[in-house]
Amino acid sequence: MEINWGLIWPLIALQVVLMVTALLSLYKAETESVRGPKWMWVLIIVVLNIVGSIAYFVAGRREA
């Protein structure tokens, strides 16, 4: 069975871009503008990959 890397690479790139963007956003955010502790969001973003990054952008940030 051969892996079709043409389909896998875009998903890996999407995962890395989302993770880096979420971590940078979290790093730059004020503590008061994040729901929950920052260390918890770092774990969620890193462990849950794409889902964790999306969860941070949807539920982790407070309204400005």
Side-chain angles (χ1 to χ4, degrees), residues 13-35:
L14 176 66
Q15 173 189 345
V16 170
V17 168
L18 272 174
M19 185 184 309
V20 169
T21 304
L23 290 172
L24 285 174
S25 173
L26 181 62
Y27 176 74
K28 292 179 181 179
E30 298 289 329
T31 305
E32 299 82 29
S33 67
V34 177
R35 290 187 175 120

mmCIF file with all atom_site columns, all heavy atoms in Angstrom, residues 13-35:
data_model
loop_
_atom_site.group_PDB
_atom_site.id
_atom_site.type_symbol
_atom_site.label_atom_id
_atom_site.label_alt_id
_atom_site.label_comp_id
_atom_site.label_asym_id
_atom_site.label_entity_id
_atom_site.label_seq_id
_atom_site.pdbx_PDB_ins_code
_atom_site.Cartn_x
_atom_site.Cartn_y
_atom_site.Cartn_z
_atom_site.occupancy
_atom_site.B_iso_or_equiv
_atom_site.pdbx_formal_charge
_atom_site.auth_seq_id
_atom_site.auth_comp_id
_atom_site.auth_asym_id
_atom_site.auth_atom_id
_atom_site.pdbx_PDB_model_num
ATOM 1   N N   . ALA A 1 13 ? 0.769   20.895 6.096  1.00 0.00 ? 13 ALA A N   1
ATOM 2   C CA  . ALA A 1 13 ? 1.035   22.335 6.007  1.00 0.00 ? 13 ALA A CA  1
ATOM 3   C C   . ALA A 1 13 ? -0.057  23.121 6.722  1.00 0.00 ? 13 ALA A C   1
ATOM 4   O O   . ALA A 1 13 ? 0.240   24.075 7.458  1.00 0.00 ? 13 ALA A O   1
ATOM 5   C CB  . ALA A 1 13 ? 1.131   22.759 4.542  1.00 0.00 ? 13 ALA A CB  1
ATOM 6   N N   . LEU A 1 14 ? -1.321  22.745 6.548  1.00 0.00 ? 14 LEU A N   1
ATOM 7   C CA  . LEU A 1 14 ? -2.431  23.415 7.219  1.00 0.00 ? 14 LEU A CA  1
ATOM 8   C C   . LEU A 1 14 ? -2.298  23.290 8.730  1.00 0.00 ? 14 LEU A C   1
ATOM 9   O O   . LEU A 1 14 ? -2.479  24.264 9.461  1.00 0.00 ? 14 LEU A O   1
ATOM 10  C CB  . LEU A 1 14 ? -3.767  22.821 6.762  1.00 0.00 ? 14 LEU A CB  1
ATOM 11  C CG  . LEU A 1 14 ? -5.011  23.355 7.456  1.00 0.00 ? 14 LEU A CG  1
ATOM 12  C CD1 . LEU A 1 14 ? -5.218  24.821 7.123  1.00 0.00 ? 14 LEU A CD1 1
ATOM 13  C CD2 . LEU A 1 14 ? -6.223  22.534 7.067  1.00 0.00 ? 14 LEU A CD2 1
ATOM 14  N N   . GLN A 1 15 ? -1.953  22.117 9.199  1.00 0.00 ? 15 GLN A N   1
ATOM 15  C CA  . GLN A 1 15 ? -1.776  21.888 10.635 1.00 0.00 ? 15 GLN A CA  1
ATOM 16  C C   . GLN A 1 15 ? -0.674  22.779 11.197 1.00 0.00 ? 15 GLN A C   1
ATOM 17  O O   . GLN A 1 15 ? -0.848  23.422 12.231 1.00 0.00 ? 15 GLN A O   1
ATOM 18  C CB  . GLN A 1 15 ? -1.442  20.427 10.891 1.00 0.00 ? 15 GLN A CB  1
ATOM 19  C CG  . GLN A 1 15 ? -1.089  20.143 12.336 1.00 0.00 ? 15 GLN A CG  1
ATOM 20  C CD  . GLN A 1 15 ? -0.549  18.738 12.531 1.00 0.00 ? 15 GLN A CD  1
ATOM 21  O OE1 . GLN A 1 15 ? -0.699  17.896 11.667 1.00 0.00 ? 15 GLN A OE1 1
ATOM 22  N NE2 . GLN A 1 15 ? 0.084   18.502 13.654 1.00 0.00 ? 15 GLN A NE2 1
ATOM 23  N N   . VAL A 1 16 ? 0.464   22.838 10.527 1.00 0.00 ? 16 VAL A N   1
ATOM 24  C CA  . VAL A 1 16 ? 1.592   23.630 11.016 1.00 0.00 ? 16 VAL A CA  1
ATOM 25  C C   . VAL A 1 16 ? 1.255   25.119 11.004 1.00 0.00 ? 16 VAL A C   1
ATOM 26  O O   . VAL A 1 16 ? 1.522   25.832 11.974 1.00 0.00 ? 16 VAL A O   1
ATOM 27  C CB  . VAL A 1 16 ? 2.865   23.337 10.188 1.00 0.00 ? 16 VAL A CB  1
ATOM 28  C CG1 . VAL A 1 16 ? 3.975   24.316 10.504 1.00 0.00 ? 16 VAL A CG1 1
ATOM 29  C CG2 . VAL A 1 16 ? 3.324   21.906 10.412 1.00 0.00 ? 16 VAL A CG2 1
ATOM 30  N N   . VAL A 1 17 ? 0.641   25.602 9.926  1.00 0.00 ? 17 VAL A N   1
ATOM 31  C CA  . VAL A 1 17 ? 0.291   27.021 9.833  1.00 0.00 ? 17 VAL A CA  1
ATOM 32  C C   . VAL A 1 17 ? -0.713  27.396 10.917 1.00 0.00 ? 17 VAL A C   1
ATOM 33  O O   . VAL A 1 17 ? -0.566  28.414 11.596 1.00 0.00 ? 17 VAL A O   1
ATOM 34  C CB  . VAL A 1 17 ? -0.255  27.353 8.424  1.00 0.00 ? 17 VAL A CB  1
ATOM 35  C CG1 . VAL A 1 17 ? -0.903  28.731 8.397  1.00 0.00 ? 17 VAL A CG1 1
ATOM 36  C CG2 . VAL A 1 17 ? 0.862   27.274 7.397  1.00 0.00 ? 17 VAL A CG2 1
ATOM 37  N N   . LEU A 1 18 ? -1.749  26.578 11.111 1.00 0.00 ? 18 LEU A N   1
ATOM 38  C CA  . LEU A 1 18 ? -2.735  26.858 12.155 1.00 0.00 ? 18 LEU A CA  1
ATOM 39  C C   . LEU A 1 18 ? -2.103  26.832 13.545 1.00 0.00 ? 18 LEU A C   1
ATOM 40  O O   . LEU A 1 18 ? -2.399  27.691 14.382 1.00 0.00 ? 18 LEU A O   1
ATOM 41  C CB  . LEU A 1 18 ? -3.876  25.846 12.093 1.00 0.00 ? 18 LEU A CB  1
ATOM 42  C CG  . LEU A 1 18 ? -5.038  26.188 11.179 1.00 0.00 ? 18 LEU A CG  1
ATOM 43  C CD1 . LEU A 1 18 ? -6.016  25.024 11.107 1.00 0.00 ? 18 LEU A CD1 1
ATOM 44  C CD2 . LEU A 1 18 ? -5.747  27.433 11.623 1.00 0.00 ? 18 LEU A CD2 1
ATOM 45  N N   . MET A 1 19 ? -1.236  25.865 13.800 1.00 0.00 ? 19 MET A N   1
ATOM 46  C CA  . MET A 1 19 ? -0.620  25.751 15.110 1.00 0.00 ? 19 MET A CA  1
ATOM 47  C C   . MET A 1 19 ? 0.284   26.950 15.402 1.00 0.00 ? 19 MET A C   1
ATOM 48  O O   . MET A 1 19 ? 0.200   27.545 16.476 1.00 0.00 ? 19 MET A O   1
ATOM 49  C CB  . MET A 1 19 ? 0.190   24.456 15.224 1.00 0.00 ? 19 MET A CB  1
ATOM 50  C CG  . MET A 1 19 ? 0.745   24.229 16.617 1.00 0.00 ? 19 MET A CG  1
ATOM 51  S SD  . MET A 1 19 ? 1.818   22.778 16.784 1.00 0.00 ? 19 MET A SD  1
ATOM 52  C CE  . MET A 1 19 ? 0.855   21.494 16.069 1.00 0.00 ? 19 MET A CE  1
ATOM 53  N N   . VAL A 1 20 ? 1.113   27.326 14.449 1.00 0.00 ? 20 VAL A N   1
ATOM 54  C CA  . VAL A 1 20 ? 2.012   28.463 14.650 1.00 0.00 ? 20 VAL A CA  1
ATOM 55  C C   . VAL A 1 20 ? 1.208   29.748 14.821 1.00 0.00 ? 20 VAL A C   1
ATOM 56  O O   . VAL A 1 20 ? 1.497   30.564 15.709 1.00 0.00 ? 20 VAL A O   1
ATOM 57  C CB  . VAL A 1 20 ? 3.022   28.580 13.478 1.00 0.00 ? 20 VAL A CB  1
ATOM 58  C CG1 . VAL A 1 20 ? 3.771   29.893 13.516 1.00 0.00 ? 20 VAL A CG1 1
ATOM 59  C CG2 . VAL A 1 20 ? 3.985   27.404 13.501 1.00 0.00 ? 20 VAL A CG2 1
ATOM 60  N N   . THR A 1 21 ? 0.172   29.935 14.010 1.00 0.00 ? 21 THR A N   1
ATOM 61  C CA  . THR A 1 21 ? -0.668  31.126 14.118 1.00 0.00 ? 21 THR A CA  1
ATOM 62  C C   . THR A 1 21 ? -1.360  31.189 15.471 1.00 0.00 ? 21 THR A C   1
ATOM 63  O O   . THR A 1 21 ? -1.405  32.251 16.110 1.00 0.00 ? 21 THR A O   1
ATOM 64  C CB  . THR A 1 21 ? -1.709  31.152 12.986 1.00 0.00 ? 21 THR A CB  1
ATOM 65  O OG1 . THR A 1 21 ? -1.032  31.068 11.731 1.00 0.00 ? 21 THR A OG1 1
ATOM 66  C CG2 . THR A 1 21 ? -2.541  32.415 13.028 1.00 0.00 ? 21 THR A CG2 1
ATOM 67  N N   . ALA A 1 22 ? -1.907  30.071 15.928 1.00 0.00 ? 22 ALA A N   1
ATOM 68  C CA  . ALA A 1 22 ? -2.591  30.039 17.222 1.00 0.00 ? 22 ALA A CA  1
ATOM 69  C C   . ALA A 1 22 ? -1.614  30.289 18.364 1.00 0.00 ? 22 ALA A C   1
ATOM 70  O O   . ALA A 1 22 ? -1.924  31.045 19.294 1.00 0.00 ? 22 ALA A O   1
ATOM 71  C CB  . ALA A 1 22 ? -3.296  28.698 17.411 1.00 0.00 ? 22 ALA A CB  1
ATOM 72  N N   . LEU A 1 23 ? -0.446  29.692 18.317 1.00 0.00 ? 23 LEU A N   1
ATOM 73  C CA  . LEU A 1 23 ? 0.541   29.902 19.383 1.00 0.00 ? 23 LEU A CA  1
ATOM 74  C C   . LEU A 1 23 ? 1.052   31.340 19.411 1.00 0.00 ? 23 LEU A C   1
ATOM 75  O O   . LEU A 1 23 ? 1.227   31.911 20.486 1.00 0.00 ? 23 LEU A O   1
ATOM 76  C CB  . LEU A 1 23 ? 1.697   28.910 19.242 1.00 0.00 ? 23 LEU A CB  1
ATOM 77  C CG  . LEU A 1 23 ? 1.364   27.451 19.560 1.00 0.00 ? 23 LEU A CG  1
ATOM 78  C CD1 . LEU A 1 23 ? 2.533   26.546 19.188 1.00 0.00 ? 23 LEU A CD1 1
ATOM 79  C CD2 . LEU A 1 23 ? 0.983   27.278 21.005 1.00 0.00 ? 23 LEU A CD2 1
ATOM 80  N N   . LEU A 1 24 ? 1.262   31.930 18.254 1.00 0.00 ? 24 LEU A N   1
ATOM 81  C CA  . LEU A 1 24 ? 1.691   33.337 18.212 1.00 0.00 ? 24 LEU A CA  1
ATOM 82  C C   . LEU A 1 24 ? 0.585   34.255 18.730 1.00 0.00 ? 24 LEU A C   1
ATOM 83  O O   . LEU A 1 24 ? 0.852   35.203 19.471 1.00 0.00 ? 24 LEU A O   1
ATOM 84  C CB  . LEU A 1 24 ? 2.089   33.735 16.793 1.00 0.00 ? 24 LEU A CB  1
ATOM 85  C CG  . LEU A 1 24 ? 3.433   33.219 16.311 1.00 0.00 ? 24 LEU A CG  1
ATOM 86  C CD1 . LEU A 1 24 ? 3.641   33.571 14.833 1.00 0.00 ? 24 LEU A CD1 1
ATOM 87  C CD2 . LEU A 1 24 ? 4.563   33.785 17.143 1.00 0.00 ? 24 LEU A CD2 1
ATOM 88  N N   . SER A 1 25 ? -0.643  33.981 18.349 1.00 0.00 ? 25 SER A N   1
ATOM 89  C CA  . SER A 1 25 ? -1.769  34.771 18.835 1.00 0.00 ? 25 SER A CA  1
ATOM 90  C C   . SER A 1 25 ? -1.895  34.655 20.348 1.00 0.00 ? 25 SER A C   1
ATOM 91  O O   . SER A 1 25 ? -2.127  35.648 21.041 1.00 0.00 ? 25 SER A O   1
ATOM 92  C CB  . SER A 1 25 ? -3.057  34.300 18.161 1.00 0.00 ? 25 SER A CB  1
ATOM 93  O OG  . SER A 1 25 ? -4.170  34.934 18.713 1.00 0.00 ? 25 SER A OG  1
ATOM 94  N N   . LEU A 1 26 ? -1.735  33.461 20.855 1.00 0.00 ? 26 LEU A N   1
ATOM 95  C CA  . LEU A 1 26 ? -1.804  33.230 22.298 1.00 0.00 ? 26 LEU A CA  1
ATOM 96  C C   . LEU A 1 26 ? -0.657  33.943 23.020 1.00 0.00 ? 26 LEU A C   1
ATOM 97  O O   . LEU A 1 26 ? -0.856  34.551 24.066 1.00 0.00 ? 26 LEU A O   1
ATOM 98  C CB  . LEU A 1 26 ? -1.755  31.733 22.595 1.00 0.00 ? 26 LEU A CB  1
ATOM 99  C CG  . LEU A 1 26 ? -1.828  31.304 24.045 1.00 0.00 ? 26 LEU A CG  1
ATOM 100 C CD1 . LEU A 1 26 ? -3.153  31.730 24.666 1.00 0.00 ? 26 LEU A CD1 1
ATOM 101 C CD2 . LEU A 1 26 ? -1.652  29.796 24.148 1.00 0.00 ? 26 LEU A CD2 1
ATOM 102 N N   . TYR A 1 27 ? 0.530   33.890 22.455 1.00 0.00 ? 27 TYR A N   1
ATOM 103 C CA  . TYR A 1 27 ? 1.695   34.545 23.058 1.00 0.00 ? 27 TYR A CA  1
ATOM 104 C C   . TYR A 1 27 ? 1.498   36.059 23.145 1.00 0.00 ? 27 TYR A C   1
ATOM 105 O O   . TYR A 1 27 ? 1.832   36.690 24.144 1.00 0.00 ? 27 TYR A O   1
ATOM 106 C CB  . TYR A 1 27 ? 2.952   34.213 22.252 1.00 0.00 ? 27 TYR A CB  1
ATOM 107 C CG  . TYR A 1 27 ? 4.186   34.918 22.730 1.00 0.00 ? 27 TYR A CG  1
ATOM 108 C CD1 . TYR A 1 27 ? 4.819   34.521 23.898 1.00 0.00 ? 27 TYR A CD1 1
ATOM 109 C CD2 . TYR A 1 27 ? 4.721   35.984 22.018 1.00 0.00 ? 27 TYR A CD2 1
ATOM 110 C CE1 . TYR A 1 27 ? 5.969   35.172 24.347 1.00 0.00 ? 27 TYR A CE1 1
ATOM 111 C CE2 . TYR A 1 27 ? 5.856   36.642 22.457 1.00 0.00 ? 27 TYR A CE2 1
ATOM 112 C CZ  . TYR A 1 27 ? 6.467   36.235 23.626 1.00 0.00 ? 27 TYR A CZ  1
ATOM 113 O OH  . TYR A 1 27 ? 7.595   36.880 24.067 1.00 0.00 ? 27 TYR A OH  1
ATOM 114 N N   . LYS A 1 28 ? 0.943   36.653 22.086 1.00 0.00 ? 28 LYS A N   1
ATOM 115 C CA  . LYS A 1 28 ? 0.763   38.098 22.033 1.00 0.00 ? 28 LYS A CA  1
ATOM 116 C C   . LYS A 1 28 ? -0.447  38.580 22.832 1.00 0.00 ? 28 LYS A C   1
ATOM 117 O O   . LYS A 1 28 ? -0.532  39.755 23.160 1.00 0.00 ? 28 LYS A O   1
ATOM 118 C CB  . LYS A 1 28 ? 0.616   38.544 20.592 1.00 0.00 ? 28 LYS A CB  1
ATOM 119 C CG  . LYS A 1 28 ? 1.887   38.392 19.788 1.00 0.00 ? 28 LYS A CG  1
ATOM 120 C CD  . LYS A 1 28 ? 1.680   38.815 18.358 1.00 0.00 ? 28 LYS A CD  1
ATOM 121 C CE  . LYS A 1 28 ? 2.937   38.639 17.537 1.00 0.00 ? 28 LYS A CE  1
ATOM 122 N NZ  . LYS A 1 28 ? 2.726   39.031 16.132 1.00 0.00 ? 28 LYS A NZ  1
ATOM 123 N N   . ALA A 1 29 ? -1.374  37.694 23.132 1.00 0.00 ? 29 ALA A N   1
ATOM 124 C CA  . ALA A 1 29 ? -2.613  38.086 23.804 1.00 0.00 ? 29 ALA A CA  1
ATOM 125 C C   . ALA A 1 29 ? -2.366  38.438 25.268 1.00 0.00 ? 29 ALA A C   1
ATOM 126 O O   . ALA A 1 29 ? -1.526  37.832 25.936 1.00 0.00 ? 29 ALA A O   1
ATOM 127 C CB  . ALA A 1 29 ? -3.633  36.952 23.718 1.00 0.00 ? 29 ALA A CB  1
ATOM 128 N N   . GLU A 1 30 ? -3.113  39.420 25.742 1.00 0.00 ? 30 GLU A N   1
ATOM 129 C CA  . GLU A 1 30 ? -3.092  39.747 27.163 1.00 0.00 ? 30 GLU A CA  1
ATOM 130 C C   . GLU A 1 30 ? -3.737  38.600 27.934 1.00 0.00 ? 30 GLU A C   1
ATOM 131 O O   . GLU A 1 30 ? -4.633  37.935 27.432 1.00 0.00 ? 30 GLU A O   1
ATOM 132 C CB  . GLU A 1 30 ? -3.892  41.030 27.413 1.00 0.00 ? 30 GLU A CB  1
ATOM 133 C CG  . GLU A 1 30 ? -3.345  42.257 26.720 1.00 0.00 ? 30 GLU A CG  1
ATOM 134 C CD  . GLU A 1 30 ? -2.056  42.742 27.343 1.00 0.00 ? 30 GLU A CD  1
ATOM 135 O OE1 . GLU A 1 30 ? -1.880  42.555 28.554 1.00 0.00 ? 30 GLU A OE1 1
ATOM 136 O OE2 . GLU A 1 30 ? -1.234  43.313 26.606 1.00 0.00 ? 30 GLU A OE2 1
ATOM 137 N N   . THR A 1 31 ? -3.299  38.384 29.149 1.00 0.00 ? 31 THR A N   1
ATOM 138 C CA  . THR A 1 31 ? -3.834  37.293 29.968 1.00 0.00 ? 31 THR A CA  1
ATOM 139 C C   . THR A 1 31 ? -5.337  37.428 30.166 1.00 0.00 ? 31 THR A C   1
ATOM 140 O O   . THR A 1 31 ? -6.059  36.438 30.169 1.00 0.00 ? 31 THR A O   1
ATOM 141 C CB  . THR A 1 31 ? -3.115  37.250 31.329 1.00 0.00 ? 31 THR A CB  1
ATOM 142 O OG1 . THR A 1 31 ? -1.718  37.151 31.103 1.00 0.00 ? 31 THR A OG1 1
ATOM 143 C CG2 . THR A 1 31 ? -3.567  36.065 32.155 1.00 0.00 ? 31 THR A CG2 1
ATOM 144 N N   . GLU A 1 32 ? -5.820  38.659 30.290 1.00 0.00 ? 32 GLU A N   1
ATOM 145 C CA  . GLU A 1 32 ? -7.240  38.892 30.519 1.00 0.00 ? 32 GLU A CA  1
ATOM 146 C C   . GLU A 1 32 ? -8.092  38.599 29.282 1.00 0.00 ? 32 GLU A C   1
ATOM 147 O O   . GLU A 1 32 ? -9.300  38.415 29.387 1.00 0.00 ? 32 GLU A O   1
ATOM 148 C CB  . GLU A 1 32 ? -7.493  40.348 30.945 1.00 0.00 ? 32 GLU A CB  1
ATOM 149 C CG  . GLU A 1 32 ? -6.810  40.745 32.230 1.00 0.00 ? 32 GLU A CG  1
ATOM 150 C CD  . GLU A 1 32 ? -5.341  41.130 32.016 1.00 0.00 ? 32 GLU A CD  1
ATOM 151 O OE1 . GLU A 1 32 ? -4.987  41.614 30.926 1.00 0.00 ? 32 GLU A OE1 1
ATOM 152 O OE2 . GLU A 1 32 ? -4.561  40.940 32.954 1.00 0.00 ? 32 GLU A OE2 1
ATOM 153 N N   . SER A 1 33 ? -7.476  38.579 28.106 1.00 0.00 ? 33 SER A N   1
ATOM 154 C CA  . SER A 1 33 ? -8.243  38.361 26.875 1.00 0.00 ? 33 SER A CA  1
ATOM 155 C C   . SER A 1 33 ? -8.313  36.891 26.473 1.00 0.00 ? 33 SER A C   1
ATOM 156 O O   . SER A 1 33 ? -8.830  36.564 25.414 1.00 0.00 ? 33 SER A O   1
ATOM 157 C CB  . SER A 1 33 ? -7.648  39.188 25.737 1.00 0.00 ? 33 SER A CB  1
ATOM 158 O OG  . SER A 1 33 ? -6.364  38.717 25.408 1.00 0.00 ? 33 SER A OG  1
ATOM 159 N N   . VAL A 1 34 ? -7.800  36.006 27.326 1.00 0.00 ? 34 VAL A N   1
ATOM 160 C CA  . VAL A 1 34 ? -7.815  34.564 27.042 1.00 0.00 ? 34 VAL A CA  1
ATOM 161 C C   . VAL A 1 34 ? -8.691  33.876 28.081 1.00 0.00 ? 34 VAL A C   1
ATOM 162 O O   . VAL A 1 34 ? -8.577  34.136 29.276 1.00 0.00 ? 34 VAL A O   1
ATOM 163 C CB  . VAL A 1 34 ? -6.378  33.979 27.088 1.00 0.00 ? 34 VAL A CB  1
ATOM 164 C CG1 . VAL A 1 34 ? -6.388  32.476 26.864 1.00 0.00 ? 34 VAL A CG1 1
ATOM 165 C CG2 . VAL A 1 34 ? -5.496  34.670 26.084 1.00 0.00 ? 34 VAL A CG2 1
ATOM 166 N N   . ARG A 1 35 ? -9.582  33.014 27.607 1.00 0.00 ? 35 ARG A N   1
ATOM 167 C CA  . ARG A 1 35 ? -10.416 32.241 28.519 1.00 0.00 ? 35 ARG A CA  1
ATOM 168 C C   . ARG A 1 35 ? -9.606  31.057 29.035 1.00 0.00 ? 35 ARG A C   1
ATOM 169 O O   . ARG A 1 35 ? -9.238  30.171 28.291 1.00 0.00 ? 35 ARG A O   1
ATOM 170 C CB  . ARG A 1 35 ? -11.658 31.729 27.796 1.00 0.00 ? 35 ARG A CB  1
ATOM 171 C CG  . ARG A 1 35 ? -12.615 32.815 27.444 1.00 0.00 ? 35 ARG A CG  1
ATOM 172 C CD  . ARG A 1 35 ? -13.905 32.237 26.895 1.00 0.00 ? 35 ARG A CD  1
ATOM 173 N NE  . ARG A 1 35 ? -14.844 33.304 26.667 1.00 0.00 ? 35 ARG A NE  1
ATOM 174 C CZ  . ARG A 1 35 ? -15.365 33.591 25.491 1.00 0.00 ? 35 ARG A CZ  1
ATOM 175 N NH1 . ARG A 1 35 ? -15.059 32.860 24.437 1.00 0.00 ? 35 ARG A NH1 1
ATOM 176 N NH2 . ARG A 1 35 ? -16.203 34.589 25.361 1.00 0.00 ? 35 ARG A NH2 1
#
